[in-house]
Amino acid sequence: MNNNYKVIGRSVPRIDGPDKVTGAAKYAGDLKFPNMLFGKILTSPHAHARIISIDAAAAEKLPGVKAIITHKDVPSLKYGLSPARWDENIFCSDKVRFVGDKVAAVCCVDEETCYKALKLIKVEYEELPAVLDYLHAMDEGQPLIHDEFKRNINTEIHQEFGDVEQALAASFHVRTDTFRGQRAYQSPIEPHSSISMWDGKKLTIYASTQSPHYFQHYIARQFDLPMGDVRIIKPHVGGGFGGKMEPTGLEFAGSVLAKLTGRPVRMFYDRAEMFAHNRGRHAQHMEITTGVDKKGKILAVKANFIMDGGAYTSLGIASAYYAGALLPLTYEFDNYKFDMFRVYTNLPACGAQRGHGAPQPKYAFESHLDNVAADLGIDPMDIRLLNARRPDTVTPNDFQVNSCKLRECLERARVISGWDEKKKNLPPGRGIGVATGSFVTGAGYSIYRTDLPHAAAVIKVNEDGTSATLYTGAADIGQGSDTILCQMAAEAMGYRYEQMKIVAADTELTPIDFGAYASRQTYMSGAAVKQAGEEIKKQLLEMASTMLSLPVADLDCEEGVIFSKSRANKTISFQEAARRHFVLRGPLLGKGAYTPPKLGGTFKGAAVGTSPAYSFGVQVGEVAIDEETGEITVMGIWDVHDCGKVINPRLLHGQVHGALYMGMGEAAWEEVLFDDKGRIKNADLANYRVLTALDMPPVHSEVVDSYEPSGPWGVKEIGEGSTNPTLGMFSNAIFDAMGVRVNSLPLSYEKIWRSLKKKRKEEGEEGGRHVGLDRQIRRTAA
């Protein structure tokens, strides 16, 4: 393995840094076009209601209104992100299914007129009973949200590998725990926006999106257009985290309004509408049973989950499968049973959020594993080391794991966190917890059936050789993929990063790439970029061979200099060879493409969770609990990851910090709350409490030396997997501090305070002593 890299492995500055720090970067909502109109969507005030009539006559008379559309003006074809359940229409035609469902849209000369027009549209509803509690959505007699889905079951999963009941019967110890996860929302800073415009039969949309290709595919399908007549352009994007994977309705409505008016139409969601559109983390009920031997070796696991899907499918089928599919990845056991019901409710639809489906089940399992360890008197770190997955193994659900250094991560986290010393000696009210995580490095299969490559890239060297431009459909949504991919291109070409330029995420200019989801771009897009760069280098060395009268095999190129391996004084610049190539042979181009190999088993749902490579990680956290208020103070977090070869260390650690930030919010603060009518009570950033920079604790982030043989230069995932251990780590640290477990997310100060109060009451110590002291006494007695 060659580690003598010149460009990758360095913390080069972000290629988009100057534009972003100076405010020059333009987002979809910043763009302006001549004669541009503004559009807004009229949404439902009811959770469940039949539409009797829509009267837009008064609104149409309002000066400045250019067009109003309802379900009668748009295609009736249902859409969605998962082809297995297309269940959403551009506008509701028969009934609305949640507060915020789409009913009509207006298009006006300015935003103010839009809001006035929306108030003038009269919609007569017949209110229907609503299903707001997902745990009772399947009960007999509940209203059906979609007539074709009986008992409101959106997705039903039953998978079993090995013989779970036999293994549980043979276990030394069996424990069952139940946990609850909450609805959470991604809260990207940039609101959803789109600008649609037509040029004859060609539709162009500037969209705030994580995947221009999927947008192109679904927009073309909805309007029965050739893909070539739909152009999606992604400007800068201010965060997505899964929430900008699919069309929002803005793009569909805006396209129809632009067609009717013949003018560009900008559509947008305000913050409250973003919450209503949602597509964030599902709430779920998680029951887990585990059987272990005397030493704590896991023999069998049984998971029984129910998930609140909301009114539509979105990407929820994959979320449901992911919840169970990734549980057997981190630890080794052969017997595994997973049952899941994803149900419809009259609430906003849920979908993919950072870590897609995995963080809450990992919270439940990591909390449950600590309970098992406590039952057996085993150190939580030791039970994880005993069960940790090893390299070159296969999970019970047929995931091939190549590289895996989870044990090394655990051992390193143990050292740098001071685990052994702290676990025995922390003062009352202080606790330390550990949790592990793992995640896919790109999905093994695309969201819709296609044989197209998952990623492709083209590199064009400027005619004078002074710069090279990478053309990629990959989507930088703030994570830094433009920078990473330019580093990879430069390394493969033997070029300098500082001379790289990039054109990205424009379906007319760039080759296909499925975009930013499932932590796939460094691996999959990077593989295509590496191939394209190596093709450039091959052509350059052939040209240099002629110019230097040396065999190609004797030449190499690094950082823009072509040199002889055997003769120190024989060199020529990349620039000279590139220009000569253009003069004699025309454009100097390189191209590459990546398609994953066939992965996974043949059982139903086998495709979800498959990936060419898996990342692993460990987080240790130390907390202090105010026993009078339940307030949590995070004293420190130590993160150690196995993510393969690191391309840009600074960006990697930024991803870890970002993931921890989101995980901390979900662990302790964040929850989308509803009233008894299905209306969101905290659809703003004042009452939906996300962390700020001031709330971040000290974070120590490390990686272990790792190489993934299937990846370009040995890379693996880091962006989403870092969220997976966080919720469980906090749960276990709080448990260690209090001696009592809170079994539902978020682990709020109030829940902690109530748990402490209950514990004191049960122990007959109301108004009395510190639980930390109780814990200390128990340890002394032990």
Side-chain angles (χ1 to χ4, degrees), residues 42-80:
L42 179 70
T43 59
S44 163
H46 304 295
H48 200 193
R50 198 173 310 285
I51 298 174
I52 305 301
S53 64
I54 303 174
D55 182 0
E60 288 171 343
K61 295 175 183 174
L62 183 70
V65 172
K66 296 299 181 183
I68 298 176
I69 55 176
T70 68
H71 65 93
K72 296 177 181 177
D73 305 297
V74 300
S76 60
L77 188 67
K78 289 183 183 298
Y79 75 91

Side-chain angles (χ1 to χ4, degrees), residues 350-619:
C350 298
Q353 184 164 333
R354 196 174 198 162
H356 197 183
Q360 288 185 356
K362 276 299 287 181
Y363 147 73
F365 193 82
E366 291 295 311
S367 303
H368 171 69
L369 190 60
D370 257 32
N371 290 345
V372 172
D375 291 346
L376 298 178
I378 300 174
D379 185 297
M381 193 71 81
D382 291 337
I383 199 171
R384 287 170 172 81
L385 279 164
L386 177 67
N387 290 286
R389 181 156 296 285
R390 295 163 297 172
D392 301 315
T393 54
V394 180
T395 69
N397 49 347
D398 283 340
F399 296 166
Q400 173 66 47
V401 176
N402 304 316
S403 60
C404 174
K405 292 200 171 181
L406 180 58
R407 288 167 189 263
E408 289 84 347
C409 290
L410 283 162
E411 288 164 353
R412 183 61 183 158
R414 183 175 212 148
V415 172
I416 63 175
S417 66
W419 174 272
D420 289 331
E421 179 66 22
K422 292 177 179 174
K423 190 66 180 171
K424 299 171 184 173
N425 298 308
L426 286 177
R430 292 272 285 268
I432 189 168
V434 60
T436 66
S438 50
F439 201 60
V440 301
T441 304
Y445 295 86
S446 59
I447 289 176
Y448 71 96
R449 289 185 184 277
T450 179
D451 57 0
L452 291 169
H454 289 214
V458 173
I459 300 174
K460 172 182 172 291
V461 179
N462 189 282
E463 285 72 12
D464 66 358
T466 56
S467 67
T469 303
L470 169 63
Y471 295 83
T472 171
D476 193 329
I477 57 172
Q479 81 280 37
S481 63
D482 282 359
T483 302
I484 294 287
L485 295 176
C486 282
Q487 283 184 263
M488 298 172 98
E491 184 70 49
M493 296 161 62
Y495 205 40
R496 298 183 70 246
Y497 166 76
E498 292 77 8
Q499 290 171 266
M500 290 299 305
K501 304 180 187 306
I502 187 166
V503 174
D506 178 335
T507 58
E508 189 151 292
L509 300 180
T510 62
I512 187 172
D513 189 293
F514 289 160
Y517 70 99
S519 291
R520 56 180 298 285
Q521 290 191 159
T522 304
Y523 183 103
M524 295 186 177
S525 309
V529 166
K530 182 172 185 284
Q531 189 179 340
E534 289 171 345
E535 189 174 310
I536 295 272
K537 186 174 182 178
K538 179 175 181 293
Q539 296 174 76
L540 267 183
L541 294 185
E542 288 173 354
M543 179 54 62
S545 171
T546 302
M547 297 170 71
L548 293 170
S549 299
L550 291 172
V552 172
D554 185 45
L555 299 177
D556 202 351
C557 183
E558 292 179 351
E559 294 187 287
V561 178
I562 300 170
F563 58 92
S564 165
K565 299 174 188 173
S566 61
R567 305 177 192 192
N569 60 344
K570 285 286 189 177
T571 63
I572 188 173
S573 71
F574 183 106
Q575 182 177 338
E576 291 174 271
R579 188 180 186 286
R580 190 67 176 163
H581 183 285
F582 185 81
V583 170
L584 296 179
R585 300 179 183 175
L588 179 51
L589 303 170
K591 58 185 175 61
Y594 175 80
T595 300
K598 181 174 173 52
L599 298 167
T602 56
F603 55 90
K604 185 178 180 183
V608 182
T610 57
S611 178
Y614 297 92
S615 67
F616 297 86
V618 174
Q619 289 174 356

Side-chain angles (χ1 to χ4, degrees), residues 10 55 80 91 132 168 210 269 293 378 408 430 432 493 603 617 636 661:
R10 291 169 46 204
D55 182 0
F91 297 119
L132 302 178
L168 289 176
Q210 295 181 226
Y269 281 149
D293 68 13
I378 300 174
E408 289 84 347
R430 292 272 285 268
I432 189 168
M493 296 161 62
F603 55 90
Y661 162 89

